[in-house]
């Protein structure tokens, strides 16, 4: 049975749950976008680790770094129990190592895009995942024509909703006009704010379907207790 | 000058936790006040002390307390000054977290929150040393907003919030701001 509209997945990350009224839409596709070094991968990893702590399985699909490299730079959370990647609560895969394999000509056709969605479906089904991370979408989108990319995202969105699996699509860059943002149920934007020469990591919820969410900018810190946020001061 | 310790201890006992207290002191009373708060109040009551150091680097305070054989194992520092002087060595000291600049007020709030979470189940005192130093790096309006957020966070944890200020060096607008954000202001005589 597909996810019921309006039901929420409590992520276990206070920085997200508090800002979006309790959690992300179950079976939703949420875009997390921002430039290099803004904390996207950290946020995505914490999302899966918090899920594992709550007994929810998850899959991390990388389109860039190898699983070995990602595991080596994995954030360590205080109070985490065991290694969820070793005991099977979480799985990590590279897109090229999945069923449809690496594409050689640098272009993803419609059938190949469908095959990627099938690979993702298999990964979700195989591990009974309730949480998915696709990091990052840019390499895939770059290799797809617009209409193929649109069809890919529509299929992925349908798949997540049907599987009641809540997905984070990680997108590199500040562009809010991308297809991922247009088609996402929610958008969390990470970035940098500069005040008097100092750089601040900031997080804002741009959109979250069906929720009266905060629109404020929050300064964020990445710690062993996870991502912490506080409203950016205005000094008015 | 009257002894500082009885005045400070008496008022803290009277007020209890979650009441923001500004200790308006003279330069001469600074170190006595510090040792009273850390040794005779926090250590005695087994409180974890989160010490926001804006004036003096955490390592200097720790060394000074150590030379008086005051236990520092319950001290946690949010050091806002060492980064600016390139004297921070995060890997050397598990008791200290660093903020890059005293002007990055939100990160002070976040580091305090981080230390609260690290010390889950512990009881806390949070000392801000000092309001004067923070005022030197920040506009009063920004400082006012910061103080409100910090005090709300500290009080909601049931901790003792203590601000240190040097009255003789304080601008009138900073004093006004303190009157707005503090529940009690005590001038140590």
């Amino acid at each position: 049975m597909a996810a019921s509209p309006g039901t929420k997945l409590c992520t276990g990350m206070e920085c997200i749950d508090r800002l979006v009224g309790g959690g992300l839409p179950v079976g939703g596709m949420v875009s997390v976008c921002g430039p290099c070094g803004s904390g996207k991968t950290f946020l995505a990893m914490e999302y899966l680790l918090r899920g594992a702590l709550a007994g929810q399985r998850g899959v991390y699909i990388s389109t860039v770094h190898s699983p070995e490299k990602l595991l080596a730079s994995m954030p360590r959370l205080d109070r985490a129990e065991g290694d969820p990647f070793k005991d099977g609560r979480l799985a990590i895969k590279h897109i090229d190592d999945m069923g449809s394999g690496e594409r050689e000509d640098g272009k993803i056709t419609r059938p190949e895009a469908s095959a990627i969605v099938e690979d993702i479906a298999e990964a979700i089904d195989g591990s009974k995942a309730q949480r998915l991370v696709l990091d990052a979408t840019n390499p895939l989108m770059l290799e797809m024509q617009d209409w193929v990319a649109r069809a890919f995202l529509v299929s992925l969105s349908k798949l997540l909703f049907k599987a009641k699996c809540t997905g984070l699509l990680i997108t590199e860059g500040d562009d809010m006009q991308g297809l991922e943002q247009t088609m996402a149920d929610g958008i969390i934007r990470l970035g940098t704010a500069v005040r008097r020469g100092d750089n601040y990591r900031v997080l804002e919820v741009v959109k979250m379907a069906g929720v009266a969410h905060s629109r404020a900018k929050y300064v964020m810190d990445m710690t062993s207790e996870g991502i912490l946020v506080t409203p950016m001061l205005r000094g008015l | 000058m009257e002894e500082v310790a009885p005045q400070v201890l008496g008022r803290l006992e009277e007020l209890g936790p979650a009441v923001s207290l500004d200790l308006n002191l003279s330069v001469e009373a600074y170190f006595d006040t510090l040792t009273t708060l850390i040794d005779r109040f926090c250590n005695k009551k087994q409180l974890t002390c989160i010490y926001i150091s804006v004036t003096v680097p955490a390592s200097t305070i720790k060394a000074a307390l150590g030379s008086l054989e005051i236990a520092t194992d319950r001290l946690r520092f949010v050091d806002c000054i060492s980064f600016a002087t390139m004297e921070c060595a995060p890997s050397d000291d598990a008791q200290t977290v660093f903020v890059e600049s005293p002007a990055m007020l939100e990160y002070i709030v976040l580091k305090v929150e981080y230390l609260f979470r690290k010390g889950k189940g512990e009881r806390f005192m949070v000392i801000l040393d000092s309001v004067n130093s923070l005022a030197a790096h920040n506009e009063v309006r920004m400082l006012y907003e910061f103080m409100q957020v910090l005090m709300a966070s500290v009080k909601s944890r049931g901790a003792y919030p203590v601000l240190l200020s040097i009255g003789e060096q304080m601008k009138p607008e900073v004093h006004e701001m303190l009157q707005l954000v503090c529940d009690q202001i005590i001038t140590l005589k």
Side-chain angles (χ1 to χ4, degrees):
Chain A
M1 193 187 287
S4 310
T7 52
K8 288 175 186 169
L9 174 90
C10 172
T11 67
M13 301 167 72
E14 278 184 43
C15 66
I16 301 295
D17 293 339
R18 278 190 186 175
L19 306 191
V20 299
L24 303 177
V26 170
M29 189 168 80
V30 176
S31 164
V32 177
C33 55
C36 299
S38 56
K40 301 181 297 296
T41 299
F42 189 101
L43 185 145
M45 286 293 190
E46 188 188 346
Y47 170 68
L48 292 185
L49 290 169
R50 295 279 175 209
L53 280 173
Q56 295 169 357
R57 292 170 180 267
V59 183
Y60 189 106
I61 298 171
S62 169
T63 62
V64 187
H65 300 298
S66 67
E68 295 74 24
K69 194 171 174 182
L70 283 164
L71 285 169
S73 59
M74 178 74 58
R76 299 274 178 262
L77 295 183
D78 294 342
R79 279 178 271 285
E81 296 151 10
D83 183 342
F85 286 98
K86 278 190 182 152
D87 61 30
R89 284 177 287 164
L90 299 179
I92 188 163
K93 296 168 188 292
H94 192 278
I95 196 105
D96 291 343
D97 301 333
M98 296 170 76
S100 57
E102 199 171 352
R103 289 147 296 276
E104 288 171 359
D105 58 1
K107 282 282 167 205
I108 298 175
T109 61
R110 174 71 193 264
E112 285 170 337
S114 300
I116 293 171
V117 175
E118 278 169 32
D119 289 343
I120 295 172
E122 215 168 274
I124 291 170
D125 200 38
S127 58
K128 309 227 173 326
Q130 288 172 267
R131 300 184 184 213
L132 171 89
V133 170
L134 180 59
D135 182 10
T137 56
N138 310 60
L140 292 177
M141 297 295 127
L142 278 172
E143 292 178 19
M144 292 179 191
Q145 287 182 292
D146 282 352
W147 71 276
V148 176
R150 187 182 168 282
F152 169 77
L153 290 169
V154 168
S155 303
L156 184 58
S157 175
K158 280 182 185 167
L159 162 68
L160 291 170
F161 189 71
K162 196 176 163 200
K164 293 186 191 174
C165 178
T166 308
L168 298 188
L169 304 191
I170 310 300
T171 308
E172 189 86 33
D174 266 338
D175 179 19
M176 297 296 291
Q177 312 303 320
L179 270 175
E180 300 96 315
Q181 284 78 41
T182 309
M183 304 189 66
D185 300 298
I187 303 174
I188 297 169
R189 177 161 60 179
L190 308 183
T192 303
V194 182
R195 190 171 69 211
R196 293 170 58 200
D198 291 318
N199 290 326
Y200 296 77
R201 278 204 172 96
V202 291
L203 176 153
E204 62 184 306
V205 179
V206 177
K207 148 179 154 181
M208 198 59 64
V211 175
H213 59 84
S214 166
R215 289 300 311 266
K217 265 195 178 130
Y218 292 80
V219 174
M220 64 177 248
D221 196 15
M222 299 187 291
T223 76
S224 62
E225 292 286 325
I227 291 178
L228 303 178
V229 295
T230 189
M232 187 152 202
L233 302 177
R234 297 169 189 88
L236 296 171
Chain B
M1 189 174 73
E2 285 178 42
E3 255 203 84
V4 162
Q7 297 179 66
V8 173
L9 294 172
R11 194 52 72 95
L12 283 169
E13 291 292 356
E14 183 190 318
L15 295 172
V19 178
S20 51
L21 175 65
D22 174 56
L23 298 177
N24 190 322
L25 37 100
S26 62
V27 176
E28 297 80 40
Y30 173 78
F31 202 67
D32 278 351
T33 308
L34 216 60
T35 54
T36 300
L37 288 170
I38 293 167
D39 195 33
R40 297 181 64 179
F41 194 77
C42 289
N43 284 350
K44 199 174 164 197
K45 283 187 172 289
Q46 299 192 318
L47 301 177
T48 299
C49 178
I50 298 178
Y51 193 103
I52 305 168
S53 57
V54 189
T55 312
V56 184
S59 55
T60 309
I61 295 167
K62 217 172 147 186
L65 294 170
S67 68
L68 294 173
E69 295 183 348
I70 292 173
T72 56
D73 52 317
R74 289 185 176 277
L75 262 177
R76 307 285 180 268
F77 287 99
V78 178
D79 184 328
C80 307
I81 201 75
S82 294
F83 229 103
T85 56
M86 300 296 282
E87 283 171 15
C88 62
S91 57
D92 293 348
D93 186 359
Q95 284 175 271
T96 307
V97 289
F98 295 93
V99 173
E100 286 186 41
S101 149
M104 301 176 89
L105 298 170
E106 290 91 339
Y107 284 107
I108 299 177
V109 174
L110 290 171
K111 295 300 182 193
V112 170
E113 176 62 24
Y114 170 67
L115 292 172
F116 277 142
R117 288 176 189 229
K118 288 282 280 186
K120 203 176 179 184
E122 294 170 17
R123 294 181 308 133
F124 293 92
M125 170 177 269
V126 178
I127 301 174
L128 172 61
D129 176 12
S130 64
V131 175
N132 303 64
S133 297
L134 266 191
H137 293 273
N138 295 281
E139 288 173 14
V140 177
R141 285 183 303 180
M142 194 67 95
L143 203 52
Y144 176 45
E145 201 180 343
F146 161 72
M147 289 288 193
Q148 283 187 316
V149 174
L150 182 69
M151 290 302 115
S153 158
V154 174
K155 286 179 182 183
S156 72
R157 297 273 180 174
Y160 289 85
V162 177
L163 311 177
L164 303 184
S165 58
I166 311 289
E168 59 218 54
Q169 300 169 356
M170 196 183 293
K171 292 179 195 165
E173 60 265 34
V174 178
H175 184 67
E176 268 173 41
M177 180 272 295
L178 279 176
Q179 285 178 321
L180 289 170
V181 295
C182 291
D183 299 316
Q184 290 275 324
I185 297 179
I186 303 172
T187 302
L188 296 175
K189 293 171 185 161

